Amino acid sequence: MKLLFSKLDNEEGSAIVVALLILAVLTIMGISSTNNSTIELNIVRNEQIYQTNFYQAEASAYEAAQRIEQETNTNNLIVSESNLDWMNNDTLDYFDQSNWLNDGSANDNTDVSVIDPNAFYSAVGKGVRMGSSLDIGATRLYEYAVFGMSQWNNGNAVVEIGYLRRF
Amino acid sequence: MMNFLSNKKFRGKNQVYAQGGFTLMEVLIALGIFAIGILGVASMQLSSTNGNTKSRKYTESSEFGQGQIETLMAAPFASLADGNTVTADGYRVTWTILNQSDTNGDGTDDMMVIRVNVDDPQGVERSVYTFSRFLTIGP
């Protein structure tokens, strides 16, 4: 018993133990700062992807508004008579990205934006604006919700703007 | 008081068992291992600092790019042209008109796609944004 205690009380070799303990603490600090820097870079990358998608979605939405503005055949701007793929009625929820169809089939409800192949636009006709059809024979104010979406680099941004056109 | 300290029961262990310090070999080996380990930790810190610097450059260039986009969005359509500017921090912001077209065929260009690139002070490209301007629509 006395031998055992004398072995436990022996402090030879403690220098290496102290050195390794300090090293362990420094390693933990090093790993956490590396982690921190990795997270920081991820934040920046995600931010850039989001902003890129946001600007593309915004540009797509403006493009759809411009197409509405420039459409000379006003029948195309009335949902029930429209030949335009991207002119739809109000039943679709465009904030759900699975509702954006653009595969070249007859079901297409969007159009590709000029800004990027990953950016699309679509519009929803809301009909005649309340109160604007009271005067028979006059032009009417039509109300649209115009959507732009961009999915560059696995990101996703949808922009909705309101648009009115009188015809 | 003296009586209390000289009582063996209350003395610290060191006084009971003498601690002879470290041997030279022990210290050398411990220091050697510590030195090798600290090299790894130091390089970890270095890469972390580099990563943070990089992310700061990305963030700053991203903000400069967005600022330039907002400026170009507010400018009159007819005044838009390629250009570049260097910020006070040395970031070079360059904007280029990629695609200018006349979508309704009335003889006046009414749409353009503009790309904004930002290079950091070392000349490395850190962010690229594209957006569109329309003659009749938009901000």
Side-chain angles (χ1 to χ4, degrees):
Chain A
M1 208 58 189
K2 203 180 169 194
L3 185 72
L4 178 66
F5 274 117
S6 73
K7 274 190 175 165
L8 283 177
D9 284 332
N10 169 8
E11 293 182 2
E12 274 174 37
S14 64
I16 189 88
V17 175
V18 172
L20 287 178
L21 275 176
I22 297 174
L23 205 56
V25 171
L26 289 176
T27 310
I28 290 170
M29 283 164 67
I31 290 172
S32 78
S33 70
T34 313
N35 249 356
N36 176 44
S37 142
T38 313
I39 291 169
E40 203 72 39
L41 280 167
N42 283 351
I43 292 172
V44 174
R45 189 170 61 237
N46 286 333
E47 169 76 9
Q48 287 202 342
I49 291 172
Y50 172 73
Q51 289 296 342
T52 303
N53 278 316
F54 175 78
Y55 283 118
Q56 291 186 359
E58 194 184 28
S60 309
Y62 285 130
E63 190 179 340
Q66 197 203 30
R67 284 199 65 177
I68 291 175
E69 180 67 29
Q70 291 181 343
E71 183 61 55
T72 45
N73 178 3
T74 52
N75 281 344
N76 276 335
L77 297 179
I78 297 165
V79 176
S80 56
E81 299 169 28
S82 179
N83 295 319
L84 301 173
D85 282 344
W86 51 275
M87 183 60 75
N88 297 285
N89 61 31
D90 206 1
T91 54
L92 283 177
D93 173 17
Y94 278 100
F95 283 99
D96 178 354
Q97 68 181 80
S98 64
N99 283 330
W100 291 76
L101 299 174
N102 197 298
D103 51 7
S105 73
N107 296 328
D108 275 7
N109 54 18
T110 64
D111 223 347
V112 183
S113 172
V114 289
I115 192 165
D116 194 274
N118 298 307
F120 304 92
Y121 59 82
S122 188
V124 162
K126 303 251 182 194
V128 178
R129 190 175 175 80
M130 210 187 273
S132 79
S133 60
L134 294 174
D135 188 359
I136 296 167
T139 56
R140 293 169 178 179
L141 199 56
Y142 287 82
E143 202 174 333
Y144 300 92
V146 179
F147 294 88
M149 186 206 42
S150 174
Q151 285 185 322
W152 179 75
N153 213 338
N154 294 327
N156 185 34
V158 180
V159 167
E160 178 184 10
I161 56 176
Y163 195 72
L164 297 170
R165 186 178 166 193
R166 183 178 287 283
F167 58 87
Chain B
M1 195 61 187
M2 285 303 290
N3 195 27
F4 169 73
L5 277 179
S6 60
N7 188 340
K8 203 176 173 186
K9 201 176 163 191
F10 290 98
R11 273 193 233 147
K13 236 182 184 172
N14 293 347
Q15 281 163 287
V16 181
Y17 303 97
Q19 171 45 284
F22 303 121
T23 66
L24 182 64
M25 260 337 264
E26 207 186 344
V27 170
L28 279 180
I29 293 170
L31 262 180
I33 293 176
F34 190 77
I36 294 168
I38 208 86
L39 277 177
V41 174
S43 75
M44 240 188 248
Q45 290 287 350
L46 213 67
S47 80
S48 150
T49 316
N50 282 346
N52 281 337
T53 310
K54 211 160 127 188
S55 85
R56 178 174 58 80
K57 284 177 179 168
Y58 277 120
T59 309
E60 288 187 341
S61 67
S62 187
E63 297 298 327
F64 284 130
Q66 288 177 48
Q68 190 56 47
I69 287 180
E70 300 300 329
T71 308
L72 293 171
M73 276 185 176
F77 187 87
S79 74
L80 294 171
D82 292 0
N84 68 79
T85 177
V86 179
T87 68
D89 312 84
Y91 286 79
R92 177 175 289 276
V93 185
T94 313
W95 56 98
T96 320
I97 296 173
L98 295 182
N99 176 354
Q100 190 166 3
S101 58
D102 176 10
T103 52
N104 62 352
D106 67 353
T108 318
D109 284 346
D110 50 19
M111 187 214 69
M112 56 176 81
V113 177
I114 304 174
R115 187 182 62 206
V116 175
N117 305 53
V118 184
D119 294 351
D120 68 16
Q122 284 72 42
V124 182
E125 184 176 83
R126 294 295 183 185
S127 73
V128 185
Y129 291 120
T130 44
F131 70 105
S132 300
R133 277 295 307 267
F134 299 93
L135 179 62
T136 47
I137 307 291

